Amino acid sequence: MTTTRAPRTAGGSGMFRSFSIFNYRVWFIGALVSNVGAWMQATGQSWVVLTELTDNDPAAMGISMALQFGPPLLLVSVTGWVADRFERRRLLMLTQGALLLLAVGTGILLLVGAMTLPLMFVIAGLSGVVMAFDNPARQAFVSDLVSRENASNAVALNAASFNGARLIGPAVAGVLIVAVGSGWVFVANGATFLAMGVALLLIRSRELVPRAHAPGGSRLADGFRYVAGRPDLLVVFAMVFLIGAFGMNFPIFASTMALEFGQQADGFGLLSSVLAIGSLAGALMAARRDRARIRVVMFAALGFAVASGASALMPSYWTYAALLVVNGFTVVTALTTANGYVQTTTDPALRGRVMALYVAVMMGGTPVGAPIVGWVAAEFGPRVAILVGAAAGLVAFGVGITWMLASGRVHRHRTRRFALSLNETTPVSIVSPEPEQFSDEVAGTTPIRLPGTDAAAANRPAPTPRG
């Protein structure tokens, strides 16, 4: 294996050191193009279901989201075994090829006027099944591209790619829908899969990091047992589930609010891109913090509840868009901090399994919450649906503050009469991420390390709960 590691400096070269590895450069370019296409299709699918296949029925959109995100949760044990058992690059070529065919086929059906709502549900379910096998293969394959010392940097660059594509994809999709029709959005997404296919062909096999074969069988069961013995992790998982299930249904919220304000597809796409501005800002701010703390997750959930509740009352399109920036900032702050807390306080021997459960909780909320939120939007209007998401954020804050008070961490300050103080947690050493932690979903909420912060963070302890 011949890989070159870039020198670690305080300048910009440190942040992009994984680009010194040829295989990662090729992968990153292909993934960035593919991510843009994925956000384009997600925007197009939501708009088609809402405006072309139904008479502005957000409940149908919730069902399509549930069908798409359900299979990765239901098939997690099987798909993980497949990713470990077979050659990952060939498996990715198969899954990317299947997704290409589904995207192009959907586009053709829309262009010829043959698409129906039941057929769109079938396509969403098939896409979910393929993605269930594609996700773990990509998780493991990225760890084959970089050495362990570059792992955190590669995750950070994946996060930048994920959020950067979210800035571009929805806006482009909105313009395409208005200009040439929704079918071409899916065809264009199909073309982006070619970039990933070329990247997979160009990757040099001899420079891949040797595969790490993780034990199978009871892998997730061990993670369940560990999390069950950690009340703090149960609290974090509960907050993440509530926010993910009921608060992060932005395709439903933004599309129905765009219609309420008299906007077309381009207005919907712009709202999605505005949300991404806040999301990227939240990830960058989280990177500046020296530790991931549960109280940050709690207060970010409270901020999300307040911002969401306020956005439901906005009288105009642009005031609603302005608050979406705050929504994106608070929700990514909560999820990024939760991700960091789980990673840095978990037993290193079990970290991959616990992170697999974290991903399942984060993704698994969508099949539960999206149909409910969609039904509420259909029956009572989009503003009420947004208030449901705000209520979920408030409940998440309540879960966190209740645990913190019950655990005895909050008490009166020793010297200030009316002040409170919070016990710090016992520090442990931070261990490099395990290969299983790579994924688009986790990368999208993983702190982005800024130049010059790695050296300071290496000498700073991270918290773990006492008892």
Side-chain angles (χ1 to χ4, degrees), residues 57-366:
D57 184 5
M61 190 193 305
I63 294 173
S64 69
M65 291 174 63
L67 290 170
Q68 193 165 358
F69 287 97
L73 175 65
L74 298 175
L75 302 174
V76 62
S77 59
V78 176
T79 55
W81 176 83
V82 170
D84 285 337
R85 176 66 179 80
F86 298 97
E87 185 180 347
R88 292 162 187 159
R89 182 158 65 163
R90 291 185 179 180
L91 179 60
L92 285 171
M93 289 180 179
L94 290 175
T95 56
Q96 294 291 300
L99 291 171
L100 185 156
L101 293 176
L102 285 170
V104 174
T106 304
I108 292 173
L109 289 172
L110 285 168
L111 291 173
V112 300
M115 179 61 73
T116 63
L117 184 62
L119 188 54
M120 180 62 85
F121 285 162
V122 172
I123 292 173
L126 290 175
S127 298
V129 172
V130 177
M131 288 300 298
F133 288 90
D134 184 81
N135 280 333
R138 280 187 290 115
Q139 293 174 24
F141 188 65
V142 173
S143 68
D144 294 341
L145 299 173
V146 298
S147 58
R148 177 63 60 88
E149 58 266 27
N150 283 325
S152 61
N153 180 254
V155 171
L157 293 175
N158 283 354
S161 169
F162 187 80
N163 287 290
R166 191 174 186 177
L167 282 169
I168 303 170
V172 173
V175 172
L176 281 178
I177 292 173
V178 172
V180 296
S182 56
W184 290 107
V185 173
F186 293 85
V187 174
N189 178 46
T192 65
F193 285 111
L194 297 176
M196 180 58 73
V198 172
L200 290 169
L201 290 173
L202 290 176
I203 285 174
R204 301 167 182 168
S205 300
R206 66 182 182 280
E207 296 181 10
L208 293 174
V209 176
R211 288 182 56 169
H213 296 278
S218 62
R219 190 169 86 172
L220 285 179
D222 292 340
F224 274 115
R225 285 191 289 269
Y226 179 80
V227 172
R230 288 278 305 275
D232 61 314
L233 290 185
L234 291 174
V235 169
V236 171
F237 279 34
M239 289 191 288
V240 167
F241 177 81
L242 286 167
I243 295 173
F246 300 101
M248 287 188 64
N249 294 292
F250 293 115
I252 297 176
F253 300 150
S255 60
T256 51
M257 287 296 285
L259 289 176
E260 179 151 318
F261 291 126
Q263 297 292 317
Q264 298 300 316
D266 52 349
F268 168 43
L270 180 60
L271 289 179
S272 300
S273 295
V274 167
L275 178 71
I277 295 173
S279 301
L280 188 57
L284 290 170
M285 289 298 293
R288 294 183 178 275
R289 300 186 185 95
D290 58 346
R291 294 180 181 179
R293 295 178 171 91
I294 291 182
R295 63 176 178 264
V296 176
V297 183
M298 291 165 37
F299 288 108
L302 178 61
F304 171 73
V306 173
S308 294
S311 70
L313 304 177
M314 289 299 99
S316 70
Y317 174 84
W318 291 109
T319 53
Y320 175 72
L323 275 176
L324 273 188
V325 177
V326 184
N327 282 345
F329 178 85
T330 52
V331 75
V332 169
T333 296
L335 295 179
T336 296
T337 307
N339 180 291
Y341 183 86
V342 173
Q343 289 198 40
T344 58
T345 66
T346 296
D347 185 337
L350 293 167
R351 183 174 294 154
R353 280 159 279 187
V354 173
M355 288 306 299
L357 287 176
Y358 176 85
V359 174
V361 168
M362 185 170 65
M363 295 181 64
T366 300

Side-chain angles (χ1 to χ4, degrees), residues 27-44:
W27 170 267
F28 181 89
I29 294 171
L32 178 60
V33 175
S34 183
N35 282 336
V36 171
W39 282 114
M40 289 173 59
Q41 175 159 321
T43 304

